[in-house]
Amino acid sequence: MSTAEETAGGEAQAWGEVTPDAARRLLIAAVEAFAERGYHATTTRDIAGRAGMSPAALYIHYKTKEELLHRISRIGHEKALEILRTASRREGSATERLADAVSSFVRWHAGGRTIARVVQYELDSLGPDARAEILALRRQVDAEVRGVIEEGARSGEFQVIDVHGTTLAVLSLCIDVARWFSLDGPRTPEEVGELYADLVLRMVGAVGAGASDGATQK
């Protein structure tokens, strides 16, 4: 599957809130271009060309290239937060909820790796105000994972000495999937999600961690 097919097909639902159609096409084109070339090497002409539009048409919907990146980043972070919040606040033990949160978060980074690479690795390309908004969303993402780990540590389900450091390690592990995952590789996004959930439970010393050892043998 090409980058264009992955972005426009498998992850098209991520941009359902973006209207009209021309604005959505430009956003998808920007994701492709930023992921392939990097934000600074991408021009508005590159983006418009990928969308089959003129550069002048881009400015009807987005005043600047940074506005495009800001919207991509905000939508992506809001989706990531929704995924983690749904998993972390459902019924069940801290172990079950952490495993669900990690597997869901990893699946999102693997299945939508083109989007995720832009969302996670182009933060420093944003101006101060936009960057501050995205950092606030990142703190909420951090809080969802940290909350489950703290709860598990209090209940005795987890053996964690440094909750803050462990939270950072868990999130870094999940996010890095977007950097290396390939559809041509030996594992599906679901299998990688299952593997990482098992690894994280081992990391926090969860009681009974390793029960899903079969996932690591695929």
Side-chain angles (χ1 to χ4, degrees):
M1 181 182 292
S2 68
T3 297
E5 288 170 334
E6 173 205 349
T7 305
E11 290 297 316
Q13 68 273 20
W15 315 115
E17 66 190 72
V18 181
T19 56
D21 178 68
R24 184 165 52 252
R25 284 164 50 202
L26 286 164
L27 205 72
I28 292 171
V31 169
E32 291 182 31
F34 294 156
E36 181 180 316
R37 305 184 52 151
Y39 175 79
H40 292 293
T42 298
T43 67
T44 53
R45 183 175 295 275
D46 293 332
I47 296 168
R50 286 173 184 262
M53 301 166 68
S54 69
L58 184 149
Y59 295 110
I60 295 173
H61 303 284
Y62 302 99
K63 295 178 183 177
T64 64
K65 184 175 70 168
E66 185 192 345
E67 184 179 334
L68 265 166
L69 177 61
H70 181 205
R71 191 162 193 194
I72 291 165
S73 190
R74 185 177 67 246
I75 292 172
H77 278 87
E78 287 172 346
K79 179 60 177 176
L81 179 58
E82 177 189 350
I83 288 168
L84 286 173
R85 187 169 282 164
T86 298
S88 67
R89 300 188 183 187
R90 72 174 181 84
E91 293 184 0
S93 67
T95 299
E96 292 168 335
R97 286 182 285 121
L98 182 60
D100 191 11
V102 169
S103 62
S104 299
F105 202 43
V106 166
R107 287 198 306 271
W108 184 74
H109 281 84
R113 64 202 179 283
T114 305
I115 297 168
R117 281 200 301 271
V118 175
V119 168
Q120 299 293 3
Y121 295 114
E122 289 288 0
L123 176 64
D124 290 340
S125 299
L126 293 170
D129 292 343
R131 189 172 186 273
E133 180 185 345
I134 301 306
L135 284 174
L137 286 169
R138 287 196 176 210
R139 285 192 290 271
Q140 292 181 63
V141 166
D142 179 276
E144 291 299 325
V145 176
R146 187 175 64 250
V148 180
I149 294 175
E150 286 176 340
E151 182 181 331
R154 285 196 304 269
S155 69
E157 288 181 62
F158 303 157
Q159 303 299 314
V160 178
I161 297 174
D162 182 346
V163 171
H164 176 77
T166 302
T167 301
L168 177 61
V170 169
L171 288 172
S172 297
L173 189 69
C174 296
I175 288 169
D176 193 56
V177 170
R179 183 184 57 80
W180 62 260
F181 182 82
S182 170
L183 288 173
D184 296 327
R187 299 179 192 270
T188 66
E190 291 73 21
E191 288 170 341
V192 176
E194 185 179 357
L195 170 63
Y196 273 48
D198 182 78
L199 292 173
V200 167
L201 292 184
R202 293 171 184 270
M203 182 189 299
V204 299
V207 176
S212 57
D213 280 348
T216 68
Q217 302 301 318
K218 293 180 181 179

